[in-house]
Amino acid sequence: MGNCLTADVKSTKSQVGEFHSVDSVVRTEMEAKEIAIGALGYCSWIVLHLQCRKLKNADLFSKSDALGFLYEWRDESWVEAGRTEMIANSLEPIFTRTFKVLYHFERLQKYRILMVDVDKGQDPQKLHPDDCNFLGACEFALGEVVTAPGKKFVRNLVNRRGENLDSKAVLLAEEASDSKEVYRIRLSASRLRNVERFGKSDPFIQFSRCQEDGEWLPVYKTRVIKNNLNPVWEEFAVRATQLNNGDVMRPLRIRVFDYEPTGSHRLLGQCEVSTEHLMGLASQHGACLSLQPPGPGKPSGDYGMLQVLSFSVETSATFLDYLAGGTEIGFVVAVDFTASNGNPNTPSSKHYYSDGMTEYERAITGVGHILEYYDQDKVFPMFGFGGQYQRSPTNHCFPMGTLPDSTCIGVTGLLQAYRQALSTWKLSGPTLFAPVIRKASQLASETIASKPPKYTVLLILTDGAIMDMDDTIGAIITASVLPLSILIVGIGSDDFGDMNKLDGDKSRLSSGNRTAVRDIVQFVEFYKYQGDGIRLAQEVLRELPGQLLEYMKINRIQCPPPLNTLPTMAIPTGSPGRTGAAIAREGRPEGAIPASIAAN
């Protein structure tokens, strides 16, 4: 079925564990479902081109016959995501067979390049790397590649002991062309059935696309139109990767529902088409489709008509385009030091860390390890609120990092500043958000004229009810015109009902005669993710690419041209792209090179 995603996994065993192989263009069912949640509208297919420099010569009378493997860290094991062709007799191979991977901003995607020398008689597409001479390997995060100037990323290969070689792997990333396509669609319906006892149906449309296994995956929903059997929906925009994964022939199911507040929406009718068919209907000046019965066993009859009023395709600058032009994302952290957290010296406190990392630290680590790839200098301001120093009054925005800017270096610096502040600041109160939001707004406003652009993310970690709701709403509305997003994470299991008022997913935040220009707040309760910072990051960061693009569009900030200078090789502390020396120091961590592969 065209380019439908499918599971096509083969397993091969090495002496130290299992490596699973999967074709670079064929993805698993699990990944297919991941595309349809979270940041679905901002996922992009990335094509990676591999070349190497100064490979080790493993042959006696000629040069190495090089072959490259790409592995992805998935489900606690390395999974083969593709392999190149073999290039004979070359220490500077430039491979033509590419790797295709799906980029998720909100996930830390770890990969490994493994280079081997193929012996005469071996089939490059069937051999196991354990059966070859080892030439070197390296690890990296996909975030490092897409933020490298010009999307050209260079890393030293390491030997089996984790020591740097003179050899280098060069990756050039290219966003697939269909990732840039946006469909603008306008639909209407007529003669819908009325299933309401009082009033009329409240219709909305849900699009689903067909998967390789025949299942239908929901990918987009329109707005609800109240009390109308002949609705006309506003034009909406949806990316090609979201609607059909770039395959205009892929079957789509369009279902019209009657909205119910309980979530038990009633199906009014449905039809199956392809994107190509929708385009054709639009070119016929609004041709119609008959809606079919809402399910098996339903009587035939008139269930209404669906009309395609318009369908156009445009190319739009993507999140990755802005990154390629040097756009940075700054990271600011604010930590709750109010007394409701409990005495940090007692095990019941949310700030108690004798038994390991606190939820505050796990949240900082989970979110920080994603965002640190998108800031070149990795200097992050950090503030506390609701704390008291000695006998001074409570401070609602005090510096936790190094003065004068309260900055920390990387995630490690944030964690060090957090623990240091717990030993010098007393927990107090009340819980006020407005001061730290205004501080972040000040920092963001200082970057408005930056070229390339810079966008700021404020992470607020809090354990309880907010005490300055009106003032906070006002501060958020003011901040909505700035290059700023606000992530609020609820620590613990207290009542966070008021926090949901700040998240403008359903309607933009307003107060009096003022309304936010755009939604800049995302609120998540950490306990729902069992203290897992990685899962938290996936949820809390999923709207960020869209918020950044919306800011750029509203303010008509053009996408900068791609940077073409060679990248620096700065590696975030604790990142998967570690140096060879770091790998050697750590013994054999999850990212070290298996001895059986490096045996030669």
Side-chain angles (χ1 to χ4, degrees):
M1 186 184 300
N3 294 325
C4 281
L5 306 183
T6 184
D8 182 17
V9 180
K10 302 177 182 178
S11 298
T12 55
K13 292 187 178 181
S14 73
Q15 298 170 16
V16 295
E18 291 194 11
F19 281 81
H20 306 283
S21 65
V22 56
D23 187 273
S24 61
V25 182
V26 180
R27 315 306 296 177
T28 65
E29 179 181 354
M30 179 180 295
E31 184 163 88
K33 292 182 178 178
E34 287 175 353
I35 301 173
I37 61 176
L40 166 63
Y42 305 100
C43 294
S44 291
W45 287 107
I46 303 294
V47 178
L48 298 176
H49 303 258
L50 174 64
Q51 54 185 268
C52 294
R53 300 173 185 167
K54 298 182 179 179
L55 280 181
K56 183 176 72 172
N57 190 9
D59 292 337
L60 184 60
F61 299 109
S62 63
K63 298 177 182 178
S64 296
D65 302 324
L67 174 70
F69 292 83
L70 180 71
Y71 288 96
E72 179 181 4
W73 182 251
R74 180 193 291 242
D75 298 330
E76 303 303 315
S77 64
W78 286 107
V79 179
E80 184 185 333
R83 61 180 69 185
T84 67
E85 78 278 18
M86 181 196 74
I87 294 185
N89 198 33
S90 177
L91 303 183
E92 305 266 337
I94 300 176
F95 299 98
T96 58
R97 180 171 291 177
T98 58
F99 307 117
K100 190 174 183 181
V101 299
L102 188 65
Y103 166 74
H104 297 259
F105 166 76
E106 74 278 13
R107 288 173 47 191
L108 179 58
Q109 296 174 270
K110 298 190 292 185
Y111 288 89
R112 171 190 290 159
I113 292 289
L114 174 67
M115 300 303 304
V116 300
D117 170 56
V118 179
D119 289 334
K120 185 177 180 179
Q122 291 181 312
D123 185 341
Q125 297 311 309
K126 293 182 179 179
L127 61 81
H128 189 276
D130 280 355
D131 300 326
C132 304
N133 293 315
F134 172 75
L135 299 179
C138 66
E139 295 175 19
F140 61 92
L142 193 56
E144 294 179 276
V145 179
V146 300
T147 56
K151 297 180 186 173
K152 184 176 183 180
F153 177 77
V154 182
R155 175 142 291 163
N156 277 89
L157 298 180
V158 299
N159 63 19
R160 58 180 296 187
R161 295 179 298 276
E163 299 166 340
N164 281 334
L165 301 171
D166 289 335
S167 309
K168 298 181 187 296
V170 181
L171 285 169
L172 292 93
E174 181 182 15
E175 190 173 9
S177 59
D178 55 26
S179 294
K180 300 176 184 291
E181 287 187 353
V182 176
Y183 300 143
R184 304 196 72 88
I185 307 171
R186 190 162 179 256
L187 301 173
S188 68
S190 58
R191 304 198 310 274
L192 294 178
R193 291 203 167 187
N194 189 16
V195 294
E196 296 287 353
R197 187 172 182 180
F198 303 103
K200 299 176 182 177
S201 298
D202 305 319
F204 70 91
I205 291 176
Q206 175 183 281
F207 285 84
S208 299
R209 70 177 183 225
C210 186
Q211 299 302 102
E212 187 70 21
D213 58 7
E215 291 188 4
W216 292 95
L217 188 68
V219 294
Y220 187 82
K221 287 192 296 186
T222 67
R223 293 181 178 273
V224 177
I225 296 182
K226 294 286 189 178
N227 198 38
N228 198 323
L229 302 181
N230 298 285
V232 178
W233 285 276
E234 294 178 356
E235 181 181 75
F236 59 90
V238 57
R239 292 181 67 205
T241 48
Q242 179 175 354
L243 188 66
N244 56 34
N245 207 24
D247 179 7
V248 296
M249 301 302 293
R250 181 186 293 264
L252 302 176
R253 175 177 285 172
I254 301 178
R255 309 179 96 185
V256 183
F257 287 92
D258 170 54
Y259 174 81
E260 291 294 333
T262 61
S264 300
H265 311 306
R266 289 177 284 189
L267 183 58
L268 301 177
Q270 58 189 342
C271 60
E272 292 182 16
V273 294
S274 65
T275 305
E276 185 181 59
H277 192 188
L278 290 175
M279 293 176 179
L281 292 171
S283 68
Q284 299 171 33
H285 306 290
C288 293
L289 288 165
S290 295
L291 295 175
Q292 302 303 311
K298 297 291 183 181
S300 60
D302 184 4
Y303 287 87
M305 305 291 288
L306 188 70
Q307 186 175 24
V308 185
L309 299 177
S310 62
F311 192 116
S312 61
V313 183
E314 61 183 37
T315 301
S316 176
T318 66
F319 179 66
L320 286 178
D321 286 331
Y322 278 93
L323 294 182
T327 299
E328 291 187 73
I329 300 176
F331 186 35
V332 181
V333 179
V335 178
D336 189 333
F337 270 66
T338 58
S340 56
N341 283 279
N343 188 332
N345 296 319
T346 62
S348 60
S349 172
K350 300 180 182 72
H351 286 305
Y352 184 74
Y353 56 80
S354 292
D355 296 332
M357 295 180 73
T358 67
E359 285 194 6
Y360 284 95
E361 290 174 303
R362 289 198 292 271
I364 291 170
T365 301
V367 177
H369 275 331
I370 301 294
L371 293 181
E372 65 181 349
Y373 289 109
Y374 300 88
D375 189 305
Q376 289 184 2
D377 60 15
K378 308 190 192 315
V379 175
F380 307 135
M382 190 178 197
F383 304 94
F385 57 95
Q388 186 177 16
Y389 184 73
Q390 295 181 354
R391 296 185 179 181
S392 300
T394 299
N395 193 322
H396 299 291
C397 184
F398 61 86
M400 293 175 65
T402 303
L403 295 174
D405 301 320
S406 189
T407 53
C408 307
I409 305 300
V411 173
T412 299
L414 292 170
L415 298 178
Q416 291 172 346
Y418 167 73
R419 292 207 172 183
Q420 177 64 31
L422 285 177
S423 66
T424 55
W425 286 80
K426 178 183 177 182
L427 304 190
S428 183
T431 305
L432 308 181
F433 281 8
V436 293
I437 292 174
R438 292 193 180 101
K439 181 62 179 180
S441 297
Q442 175 193 333
L443 297 174
S445 66
E446 294 170 358
T447 69
I448 288 178
S450 296
K451 292 185 179 181
K454 185 162 186 175
Y455 195 86
T456 300
V457 175
L458 169 63
L459 174 65
I460 300 177
L461 306 172
T462 184
D463 86 310
I466 182 172
M467 305 296 184
D468 64 339
M469 179 60 76
D470 291 343
D471 201 15
T472 293
I473 290 174
I476 293 172
I477 292 174
T478 300
S480 68
V481 302
L482 298 172
L484 176 68
S485 286
I486 301 171
L487 314 176
I488 304 175
V489 176
I491 302 295
S493 56
D494 291 344
D495 182 10
F496 294 104
D498 284 347
M499 300 296 181
N500 291 305
K501 297 178 182 178
L502 305 178
D503 195 328
D505 284 344
K506 295 182 179 179
S507 60
R508 283 185 293 172
L509 203 62
S510 62
S511 177
N513 60 356
R514 300 176 66 212
T515 300
V517 172
R518 58 195 182 91
D519 172 25
I520 64 171
V521 177
Q522 175 78 345
F523 170 69
V524 173
E525 296 179 64
F526 198 10
Y527 85 91
K528 294 182 178 179
Y529 303 93
Q530 288 77 48
D532 186 337
I534 295 175
R535 292 176 58 202
L536 170 73
Q538 291 180 22
E539 175 62 24
V540 79
L541 291 173
R542 66 186 177 88
E543 294 183 4
L544 185 57
Q547 291 176 354
L548 182 148
L549 288 174
E550 185 181 19
Y551 173 80
M552 300 299 180
K553 182 177 181 180
I554 289 174
N555 291 279
R556 299 180 180 178
I557 299 175
Q558 297 298 315
C559 185
L563 300 177
N564 293 313
T565 57
L566 286 175
T568 59
M569 296 309 296
I571 302 173
T573 304
S575 78
R578 296 162 292 183
T579 62
I583 293 175
R585 284 197 303 271
E586 294 170 9
R588 189 192 174 278
E590 65 181 42
I593 302 163
S596 63
I597 290 182
N600 296 313

